[in-house]
Amino acid sequence: IKLIFIRKITSGGFFMIRKHGEEQPYISFGIFKVRIPGIHYKIEMPELIQGLIIGTTALSTIAILTEYFGVSFDVAWGIVILEVFLYMLHAFLGDPVVPGWITPAMPLVLAFISKYEGKERLQSLMALQLIVAAIFIIMGITKSAEKLLRIVPNSLKAGILLSAAISAVYGEFKAGGRVEQYPYTILFGFALLAFITFSNVFKRMRSKNRILNIISSYGSLGPLLLALIFGIIVGELQMPQFEIGTFFKVVNFKEIINSTSVFAVGFPPLKLFIDALPLAIVAYIIAFGDFVTSETLVKEAAEVRDDEKIDFDSNRSNIISGIRNGILAIIAPLPPLSGPLWAGVTATVSMRYRDGRKAMDSLIGGMGTFRIATFISVILIPVVSLMKPIFPIGIALTLLIQGFICTRLAMEYCKTDTERGIAGITAAILFTKGAAWGLASGIILYLLLEGFKKDKF
């Protein structure tokens, strides 16, 4: 390990200093670039504060885990803590992004596992996540991801995204869904989040108002907190109960292993792997879009700053995502799966990075700090107790916004009327009949209506 000179930085502790135009210091380990927070990069205060609050939204999956698998609140909480801990692998191993779920796939995953009961339901998710892990790792090692996505027609990609959008919105608005339980709070929160995130009017407003610009820079934090206040006022949410006593949540790994691991329910039979394969392919196709987005966001940030060389490697990101999925599949399968990108936060961090080295020393420092903060947030009992009433609202807003984004991306993929028609039919069949029927229908329609194109192979 080659050490370069070290100096004291009051806001970040002792850390190695990057010379102008060079890459942030690291320990080389094959394809990975190991960076230890506080040594190889400094802790960034805005990302720390944002992560401490927004990080609790990951606990929204507790409701899904208890509903679909019947585990206790404590077991579900421990699973989320494990999931959030694994997020830190990306910055630790050299991936300059904020990772997240494969969010558009979650409604399709929930529909898939709902076909099974008892321990078979858990095994079905286990099989799915193991296949997804294998695809990520194989694609990363062989560097075949781009070739695979070039083969997949735009009409089929659009159909998959459109189906995910329909599934996400339908799941929230169906009878017994979260919108039925918290109608005013969810619709208020969604309208506010959509306005802040996508409205051209708000973009003009924030350019002239410093306070609105600060609110926007913190992503979904503002809308989520305002939704909490609004929900309490209209009587749909309870007042948060601030818990004192034990400060940190201690995870009972023995209880998790005895509840959700492969050792508790057994290894999935071959039939479940066969059933899960089409959906695993769909999930990876969705996730690959995140690699493209990651590369774009990092490239745009790097173009503004000449003081740091940033290395984004989609193959490395594939492998890390595969490792996360593999660990969770064996110990605690998770319906949202493990994706390579939380697009909204990655965009927010990269935008602040553009303000110069005084604003943020290193891009990976901002990304890494955010994920460290989210891990702290999900183990801090006082923070979790304050945010607990809004967990269902957080997951609803995530899915509804994802539905909006997936619809927009699906429309962008389609360039012709034929592609739009194929995408619509594929989405409808995928939503109603599942991944196998949807993929088969989309491929057949593509071959019949668009024809075999040699340039795709």
Side-chain angles (χ1 to χ4, degrees), residues 371-386:
R371 271 310 176 195
I372 291 170
T374 59
F375 175 67
I376 295 172
S377 74
V378 296
I379 64 173
L380 284 177
I381 291 175
V383 175
V384 172
S385 63
L386 282 173

Side-chain angles (χ1 to χ4, degrees), residues 278-340:
L279 181 54
I281 295 171
V282 166
Y284 185 77
I285 292 172
I286 292 171
F288 187 83
D290 287 339
F291 293 119
V292 176
T293 304
S294 298
E295 190 169 27
T296 301
L297 289 171
V298 170
K299 183 179 178 181
E300 288 175 350
E303 287 174 352
V304 178
R305 296 267 299 266
D306 63 353
D307 61 283
E308 180 180 17
K309 177 185 175 184
I310 303 172
D311 174 33
F312 174 77
D313 187 335
S314 61
N315 299 309
R316 178 173 56 227
S317 192
N318 262 284
I319 293 171
I320 299 171
S321 298
I323 292 171
R324 287 166 52 217
N325 276 292
I327 292 172
L328 287 173
I330 296 297
I331 300 175
L334 200 71
L337 306 176
S338 294

Side-chain angles (χ1 to χ4, degrees), residues 58-71:
L59 293 162
S60 303
T61 48
I62 288 176
I64 294 174
L65 291 168
T66 55
E67 177 185 347
Y68 281 82
F69 302 118
V71 298

Side-chain angles (χ1 to χ4, degrees), residues 133-184:
I135 294 174
F136 270 122
I137 292 172
I138 290 170
M139 290 298 170
I141 292 174
T142 62
K143 304 178 181 179
S144 302
E146 291 185 14
K147 184 176 180 180
L148 172 67
L149 267 291
R150 191 173 69 248
I151 292 173
V152 178
N154 285 336
S155 53
L156 188 56
K157 294 175 191 172
I160 290 170
L161 286 171
L162 194 56
S163 173
I166 295 169
S167 297
V169 177
Y170 173 78
E172 297 309 306
F173 279 88
K174 69 180 181 181
R178 276 175 281 263
V179 172
E180 188 175 279
Q181 299 174 57
Y182 314 97
Y184 299 113

Side-chain angles (χ1 to χ4, degrees), residues 60-227:
S60 303
T61 48
I62 288 176
I64 294 174
L65 291 168
T66 55
E67 177 185 347
Y68 281 82
F69 302 118
V71 298
S72 67
F73 184 90
D74 271 357
V75 167
W77 189 357
I79 291 171
V80 173
I81 290 174
L82 174 61
E83 172 214 3
V84 177
F85 175 79
L86 292 173
Y87 284 140
M88 294 191 291
L89 279 177
H90 284 260
F92 180 70
L93 296 176
D95 193 23
V97 298
V98 175
W101 300 334
I102 309 179
T103 311
M106 183 158 63
L108 305 177
V109 173
L110 294 177
F112 169 71
I113 65 176
S114 295
K115 298 186 296 184
Y116 306 95
E117 298 292 340
K119 74 171 187 178
E120 198 175 40
R121 175 175 290 185
L122 196 54
Q123 287 178 324
S124 68
L125 180 56
M126 216 174 264
L128 172 64
Q129 198 156 19
L130 281 171
I131 298 173
V132 170
I135 294 174
F136 270 122
I137 292 172
I138 290 170
M139 290 298 170
I141 292 174
T142 62
K143 304 178 181 179
S144 302
E146 291 185 14
K147 184 176 180 180
L148 172 67
L149 267 291
R150 191 173 69 248
I151 292 173
V152 178
N154 285 336
S155 53
L156 188 56
K157 294 175 191 172
I160 290 170
L161 286 171
L162 194 56
S163 173
I166 295 169
S167 297
V169 177
Y170 173 78
E172 297 309 306
F173 279 88
K174 69 180 181 181
R178 276 175 281 263
V179 172
E180 188 175 279
Q181 299 174 57
Y182 314 97
Y184 299 113
T185 306
I186 290 176
L187 293 177
F188 171 80
F190 174 66
L192 192 58
L193 182 55
F195 179 70
I196 289 175
T197 308
F198 301 111
S199 171
N200 290 325
V201 174
F202 184 78
K203 286 180 182 177
R204 291 193 294 270
M205 291 169 60
R206 62 174 280 201
S207 66
K208 301 175 182 178
N209 189 298
R210 187 166 177 266
I211 294 175
L212 291 179
N213 191 51
I214 293 172
I215 291 173
S216 176
S217 68
Y218 280 85
S220 60
L221 176 59
L224 198 61
L225 292 177
L226 288 173

Side-chain angles (χ1 to χ4, degrees), residues 15-29:
F15 72 98
M16 295 181 177
I17 301 302
R18 176 187 76 251
K19 292 181 180 179
H20 189 91
E22 292 185 353
E23 193 172 351
Q24 195 70 8
Y26 62 89
I27 302 170
S28 182
F29 188 70

